Amino acid sequence: MDMSSDDHDVEDHKHEEMEEMDVEEEFPHQDHQLKGKKKSWSKLRRYDSLDVESRSVRDHVHGGHGSKGVEWSMILHLAFQSIGIVYGDIGTSPLYVFSSTFSNGIIKHNDDILGVLSMIFYTLTLIPLVKYVFIVLRANDNGDGGTFALYSLICRYAKVGLIPSQQAEDREVSNFKLELPNDRLKRASRLKSKLESSQSAKYFLLFATMLGTSMVIGDGVLTPCISVLSAVGGIKQATSAMTEDMIVWISVAILVCLFMLQRLGTDKVGYSFAPIICIWFAFIGGIGVFNFIKFDPTVVKALNPLYILKYFRRNKKEAWISLGGTVLAITGTEALFADVGHFTVPSIQISMCSVTYPALIFAYTGQAAYLRKHNEHVSETFFKSIPDSLYWPMFVLAVLAAIIASQAMISGTFSIIQQSLSLGCFPRVKIVHTSAKYEGQVYIPEINYLLMLACVGVTLGFRSTARIGNAYGIAVVFVMTLTSSFLVLIMIMIWKTPILFVISYVFVIGSVELLYLSSVLYKFDQGGYLPLAFAAVLMSIMYVWNNVYRRKYYYELEHKISQDKLKEVVNDTNFCQIPGLAIFYSELVQGIPPIFKHYIANVPALQSVLIFVSIKSLPISKVSVEERFLFRQVEPKDQLNVFRCVVRYGYTDVRNEQEPFETMLIEKLMEFIRDEFWFSQRENSAEQNGETLEGESENKDHVKAQVDEERRREAVDREIEAVGKAWRAGVVHLIGENEVVAGKGAGIGKRILIDYAYNFLKRNLRQSDKVFDIPHKRMLKVGMTYEL
C-alpha cells in the first residue's frame, strides 16, 4: 500500500528531527548554531539531481538553475560540439557492422540481410535511443554521467559506502538532497534497508562499479584501434600496393597524433571535430538514401521483426554467434552517458535525435539494399557500396571520422577516472581542467599516455579488425548490462518508478542485452579475453588502493585523540606557545587525527591557533564554495583557539585552481566566527521576544542584554583578531607522511597487498601537498607508521 502525502510529510519531519539529534550528538557544543542554520537553510530551495542536468554553465548550480536556465544558444552550441565528441564511435560503426556480422563472408539466404537489418534497427532504437537518451541520461548526478555517477546516487540515498565518514550536515549541501516522490515508498524503503544491512551487497556494488569503470576504460583502448584500422584498410580498394603491415603502421601513426591532441581539451577538439562528423553523417545518410532508392527499396520490410525470427530459424547457432557482430552497431553508446558532464542532457538529446539516429538508420538501410543485389561484397560492404565518384572523399572522411571516433571514449575515460579518483577508488593523478567556460571538460596526462601505449600495443598485436571486434563487443555489452543493473536500483529506490515499468524495462532491455552478452562471450578465446584482461589489471589497481585507503581510515578512527586529551596537551605548561597558525591535514572526519599526538611527542611547541582540516569527498558531483567548509570550535572556546574543519568536495570539483586553498580556509574561518555570533545573537533575541516583561524589569533586562551583546561582540572581534594575527605571524602546514605496513601476524595476502602493491603505487604517485598546492617553505611532513 502506498503512503499518503500526509504520512510522507510526517516521515520527512521525523527524519529532520533525527538529523538534528545526530548533529547535536556529534557536536553538542554547537547545537544552537546548527539549529539556527537548519532554520535558515530550510528556507532555501532544493534541487533534485535529476533536475539539475548541467554543470556546463558556470555557477548554475550555485544559483540554483536547472537546465531550463541554460540559454538555448548555449544548448545548441553544446549540441553541435557533442556531435564531434560523443558520436564519432557509434557513427563509424557502419564501417564494419555487416562485415563483422557475416564474418565468413557468405550470405546463405537473401532474406538474412533483412533479418540483420531488422536487428540493427531495433537494437539502435531500444539501446541508444530509448534506454540511454530518454532513460539513463535522467540518472545523471548533477550533470555528470558514467558508472560512478550511478554509484554516487545510490550511495547518497542509501548508506552503502564502506567508509564511515557520513555526517548529518552532508544532507544540507544543496546538491545532495534528492526530492523524492510521495508514493511507492514501502518498496523503496525495503530495498534500501536490505542494501544498508548487507555488507556483501555493499562490496558487490563497489565491485560492480569498479568493473564497469574498468570496462569503459578498456572500451577507450579498443575504439581507436578498430575504427582507425577499419578506415585505413579501405585504401586497399584503390590500390593493391598497400600491404597489411603498411596499414597497421599508418594506423599507429594516426593514433599517436590523436593522443597528442588531447592536451588541447574537449572544447577545442570538439569544435574542430564537429564539422567533420556532421559532414560524415550527411554523406553516409545521403549515400544510404541513394542506395536504398537505386538497389532495393523493399528492404523497408525489415521494420517487421518477424524477419529476425526467420533469420534465427534458418541459421540457428550461427545466427546467435553473429549477434557479436550486430552489437557493434551500438559501440560508443556508453559515451552518451559518460560524456554528459562535458555537455548537457538536452544538447545530447537534440544531437542524437536530429542528426545521429536518422543518419545511422539511413546508412544501414542503404548498405542492406546494396547487399541484396551484391551478396559477394559483404566483407567490404562500406567501401563497395559507395558510388565511384565519391570514393576518395569518403575515404578521407572515413579516416578522419575514425580518428574522431576515438575521442568519445577517451573523453569519457578522463571523466570516469576523475570521479573514481575523488571517491577514493583510484590512485592520485593530475586532473587538468581544459576549459574555463565548460567545467566538466578535463584532461589527465598520465592516463592519456597509458591509453596511447595500450592502443599502439593492441593495434600491433592483433593487426585485424575481426579479432579486435570480438574483444570490443564484450567491453560494450558488459558496461551496458551493469548500467542497466544500477538503473533498476535507482528506479526502485530513488525514482519510485511503478513496478510494471521496471519489469517491462528488465524484460525488454535486459533480455536484449543478456542475449548479446551471451553471444560475445562465445568468442572469448578469439580475442574476447582482451577487455577482461584490461579490466583485471585496472580492478587490481583500484582494489589495492581502495582497500588500503579504507584500512587507513579505520586505523585513524580507532586511534583518534579525544577532546579531553587535546585540552590536556594545549594547557600543559611544559609546552611553549608560539605565534602563528598550524594546519593539520587528515581525511578523518570524526575527530582529531593521531598525527597530532605524534607531532607533540616530538615537538614541544604549539602555534597560537590550530586548525584540524579533514578532506572529504561527497557522493555528489559538485559542492559550492559557500557550502564547502564546515567548521567547529573545540571547547572550551574561551581557553582554546582550536578549530576542526571539514572541507567537502564533489568528485568533479576543481581543487585550488582559482585561488590558494590557505586563503580560502582562513577567510571562511573568520566568516564562521562572525556567523556563530550572529546565530547565537538571533537565538537570544528570539528568546527575549517570547517573554513578556514590564516596567523597570523590562528596562533592566534590556540593558543587561545590550551589555552581554557588546561583550560577545568584543570577544568575537578578539577572536577574529587572534586568527588574523596568527595568520600574519606565519602558517605551518603539517601533513602526515604515513608509512603503511601490515601488522604483526598478518597473512601473506595482506602483506603483499599493503607492503608491496600499495606502497609501489604510493611511491610512484602524487602526494597530498601537490593536490592543494601547499608552499614547500611552510610545509612540515610528520613521519608516522600505520600498522594495519
Side-chain angles (χ1 to χ4, degrees):
M1 181 183 291
D2 293 340
M3 293 181 69
S4 66
S5 179
D6 292 337
D7 290 339
H8 184 64
D9 291 339
V10 170
E11 288 293 318
D12 281 349
H13 181 66
K14 288 180 180 177
H15 182 64
E16 289 174 7
E17 287 182 348
M18 289 298 293
E19 281 185 3
E20 285 196 29
M21 289 171 65
D22 291 341
V23 174
E24 290 168 16
E25 201 172 315
E26 187 175 358
F27 302 106
H29 55 282
Q30 285 290 347
D31 64 311
H32 64 278
Q33 180 197 355
L34 263 289
K35 287 179 181 177
K37 284 192 176 183
K38 279 185 172 293
K39 291 172 186 175
S40 173
W41 286 337
S42 65
K43 297 175 183 178
L44 296 176
R45 186 177 177 188
R46 296 291 197 277
Y47 282 87
D48 182 69
S49 66
L50 311 176
D51 295 327
V52 183
E53 292 179 326
S54 166
R55 294 178 299 90
S56 297
V57 179
R58 186 173 293 279
D59 289 335
H60 110 90
V61 171
H62 310 342
H65 294 291
S67 60
K68 292 181 181 178
V70 182
E71 294 180 3
W72 272 104
S73 61
M74 182 70 73
I75 290 176
L76 294 176
H77 278 142
L78 290 170
F80 176 71
Q81 270 195 324
S82 70
I83 293 173
I85 299 297
V86 176
Y87 303 113
D89 192 357
I90 194 171
T92 53
S93 295
L95 283 167
Y96 44 76
V97 168
F98 274 106
S99 59
S100 297
T101 303
F102 298 101
S103 55
N104 56 7
I106 300 171
I107 298 175
K108 294 180 180 178
H109 194 286
N110 214 27
D111 280 356
D112 286 354
I113 298 167
L114 295 179
V116 172
L117 178 61
S118 186
M119 283 194 295
I120 292 171
F121 172 75
Y122 284 106
T123 303
L124 276 172
T125 304
L126 282 174
I127 307 298
L129 194 66
V130 175
K131 176 188 169 181
Y132 278 89
V133 172
F134 294 115
I135 301 177
V136 174
L137 284 183
R138 289 188 59 237
N140 68 86
D141 183 17
N142 293 305
D144 257 279
T147 310
F148 265 98
L150 296 175
Y151 180 66
S152 69
L153 282 176
I154 295 170
C155 286
R156 203 148 85 235
Y157 182 71
K159 294 179 181 178
V160 295
L162 292 169
I163 295 178
S165 62
Q166 298 87 0
Q167 293 173 288
E169 296 93 334
D170 293 343
R171 292 185 176 274
E172 301 301 338
V173 177
S174 49
N175 290 359
F176 197 97
K177 272 200 170 179
L178 298 173
E179 300 293 336
L180 304 177
N182 291 336
D183 52 3
R184 293 177 285 275
L185 274 172
K186 283 191 174 181
R187 185 170 59 248
S189 299
R190 200 177 302 122
L191 178 59
K192 177 183 174 183
S193 62
K194 284 183 179 179
L195 287 177
E196 291 180 343
S197 60
S198 172
Q199 195 72 5
S200 58
K202 295 177 184 179
Y203 278 105
F204 178 77
L205 282 173
L206 183 62
F207 170 82
T209 303
M210 290 181 178
L211 178 61
T213 301
S214 303
M215 284 293 186
V216 171
I217 297 171
D219 202 353
V221 172
L222 296 171
T223 296
C225 303
I226 191 170
S227 300
V228 174
L229 267 177
S230 299
V232 175
I235 203 170
K236 287 191 294 186
Q237 302 298 317
T239 172
S240 58
M242 185 65 66
T243 64
E244 183 179 324
D245 284 345
M246 292 172 69
I247 290 172
V248 169
W249 284 107
I250 290 171
S251 301
V252 167
I254 290 172
L255 290 170
V256 171
C257 291
L258 170 68
F259 282 100
M260 291 301 176
L261 284 174
Q262 294 303 312
R263 67 183 65 191
L264 298 176
T266 311
D267 186 25
K268 296 181 180 67
V269 173
Y271 267 118
S272 305
F273 286 171
I276 299 171
I277 293 295
C278 282
I279 296 170
W280 168 259
F281 279 134
F283 267 69
I284 63 172
I287 292 171
V289 172
F290 172 79
N291 287 337
F292 169 74
I293 296 170
K294 179 180 178 181
F295 293 106
D296 188 5
T298 64
V299 293
V300 75
K301 294 186 293 184
L303 290 172
N304 185 350
L306 283 175
Y307 281 96
I308 300 175
L309 297 176
K310 292 177 182 178
Y311 173 68
F312 274 90
R313 198 173 294 143
R314 279 191 300 270
N315 297 281
K316 298 181 175 62
K317 184 181 178 180
E318 289 182 12
W320 172 68
I321 294 172
S322 72
L323 288 174
T326 308
V327 77
L328 298 181
I330 54 173
T331 55
T333 302
E334 190 67 24
L336 285 174
F337 190 42
D339 281 340
V340 71
H342 293 245
F343 305 101
T344 65
V345 171
S347 65
I348 289 181
Q349 289 174 331
I350 289 169
S351 56
M352 178 67 179
C353 295
S354 62
V355 178
T356 307
Y357 179 75
L360 289 173
I361 295 298
F362 290 148
Y364 287 117
T365 304
Q367 288 185 12
Y370 177 83
L371 285 176
R372 291 270 284 178
K373 302 298 183 185
H374 304 87
N375 286 183
E376 69 279 7
H377 292 162
V378 67
S379 59
E380 299 162 341
T381 305
F382 181 80
F383 285 104
K384 288 289 187 182
S385 64
I386 297 171
D388 292 339
S389 59
L390 292 176
Y391 173 80
W392 283 110
M394 281 304 294
F395 172 75
V396 173
L397 269 178
V399 173
L400 292 174
I403 294 170
I404 295 164
S406 313
Q407 185 64 46
M409 294 316 301
I410 293 170
S411 301
T413 298
F414 291 158
S415 296
I416 287 173
I417 291 291
Q418 181 192 21
Q419 295 170 13
S420 56
L421 170 70
S422 298
L423 294 174
C425 294
F426 202 84
R428 294 188 189 99
V429 288
K430 184 179 181 181
I431 306 289
V432 179
H433 290 258
T434 57
S435 173
K437 192 175 182 182
Y438 307 116
E439 294 183 6
Q441 301 185 358
V442 296
Y443 163 68
I444 306 175
E446 295 97 325
I447 300 300
N448 187 59
Y449 290 122
L450 288 174
L451 284 176
M452 181 180 71
L453 292 174
C455 284
V456 170
V458 170
T459 305
L460 291 175
F462 277 63
R463 309 173 71 87
S464 157
T465 56
R467 293 183 68 196
I468 297 175
N470 295 337
Y472 201 16
I474 289 182
V476 169
V477 186
F478 242 109
V479 176
M480 290 180 180
T481 308
L482 285 171
T483 298
S484 287
S485 304
F486 276 50
L487 191 63
V488 168
L489 290 177
I490 289 171
M491 283 179 175
I492 296 173
M493 283 199 310
I494 301 176
W495 293 352
K496 310 296 191 298
T497 306
I499 193 65
L500 286 177
F501 186 87
V502 177
I503 292 171
S504 301
Y505 176 87
V506 172
F507 180 74
V508 178
I509 304 291
S511 58
V512 169
E513 291 177 342
L514 287 174
L515 183 63
Y516 276 124
L517 184 62
S518 66
S519 175
V520 295
L521 287 174
Y522 179 78
K523 297 181 180 180
F524 178 83
D525 60 340
Q526 302 170 37
Y529 58 84
L530 188 63
L532 296 178
F534 278 135
V537 172
L538 287 166
M539 285 188 67
S540 298
I541 293 171
M542 288 183 172
Y543 172 77
V544 167
W545 192 264
N546 183 261
N547 185 283
V548 181
Y549 177 84
R550 283 187 278 113
R551 290 177 187 270
K552 282 171 58 183
Y553 193 92
Y554 277 103
Y555 179 91
E556 290 190 340
L557 194 61
E558 290 171 5
H559 295 83
K560 67 181 181 181
I561 298 172
S562 66
Q563 289 191 358
D564 291 337
K565 178 66 176 175
L566 176 66
K567 293 174 197 172
E568 179 186 323
V569 168
V570 174
N571 293 324
D572 192 334
T573 55
N574 294 327
F575 279 93
C576 173
Q577 194 169 60
I578 57 177
L581 188 149
I583 302 175
F584 291 81
Y585 291 89
S586 165
E587 290 178 336
L588 183 67
V589 170
Q590 285 87 350
I592 295 166
I595 178 182
F596 180 68
K597 184 178 180 181
H598 191 69
Y599 171 73
I600 59 176
N602 294 277
V603 182
L606 282 174
Q607 282 73 11
S608 56
V609 177
L610 305 179
I611 307 176
F612 293 94
V613 174
S614 304
I615 310 303
K616 177 179 177 180
S617 287
L618 295 184
I620 56 177
S621 61
K622 198 162 188 66
V623 178
S624 67
V625 176
E626 291 77 14
E627 299 174 308
R628 180 161 297 157
F629 294 87
L630 181 66
F631 287 95
R632 295 289 175 270
Q633 186 168 4
V634 176
E635 296 281 6
K637 300 178 189 177
D638 54 346
Q639 298 177 25
L640 303 177
N641 276 325
V642 180
F643 301 88
R644 284 174 51 202
C645 175
V646 178
V647 188
R648 303 176 294 188
Y649 287 94
Y651 51 74
T652 63
D653 273 321
V654 182
R655 298 198 181 189
N656 189 42
E657 287 194 3
Q658 301 302 318
E659 59 179 303
F661 176 80
E662 176 189 302
T663 305
M664 288 179 60
L665 179 69
I666 305 302
E667 287 176 353
K668 292 297 178 183
L669 174 59
M670 292 180 176
E671 283 181 23
F672 161 75
I673 296 171
R674 291 191 196 97
D675 289 345
E676 185 182 29
F677 166 74
W678 184 83
F679 279 116
S680 62
Q681 179 62 27
R682 183 178 176 185
E683 190 174 79
N684 290 335
S685 299
E687 289 176 0
Q688 289 176 7
N689 291 336
E691 297 175 359
T692 304
L693 302 174
E694 295 181 1
E696 188 177 341
S697 176
E698 182 180 356
N699 291 332
K700 287 180 179 179
D701 287 343
H702 182 68
V703 172
K704 182 176 180 298
Q706 284 184 326
V707 172
D708 290 342
E709 179 184 342
E710 190 62 34
R711 286 175 180 170
R712 282 195 300 272
R713 196 183 298 275
E714 288 174 1
V716 168
D717 290 340
R718 282 196 304 271
E719 198 165 4
I720 292 175
E721 177 58 32
V723 172
K725 186 177 178 182
W727 188 20
R728 290 188 294 273
V731 179
V732 177
H733 299 264
L734 294 116
I735 298 175
E737 187 72 2
N738 301 322
E739 289 294 324
V740 180
V741 296
K744 294 178 181 178
I748 187 169
K750 190 175 180 181
R751 289 204 301 272
I752 292 172
L753 174 75
I754 298 173
D755 295 346
Y756 298 100
Y758 178 81
N759 283 319
F760 172 80
L761 291 174
K762 187 173 180 291
R763 280 194 302 270
N764 291 280
L765 294 164
R766 296 171 188 276
Q767 302 302 313
S768 55
D769 56 297
K770 295 183 180 179
V771 176
F772 293 101
D773 199 22
I774 296 170
H776 285 267
K777 291 181 180 179
R778 292 188 283 116
M779 180 178 65
L780 181 64
K781 290 190 175 182
V782 182
M784 188 171 180
T785 301
Y786 288 0
E787 289 190 8
L788 305 181

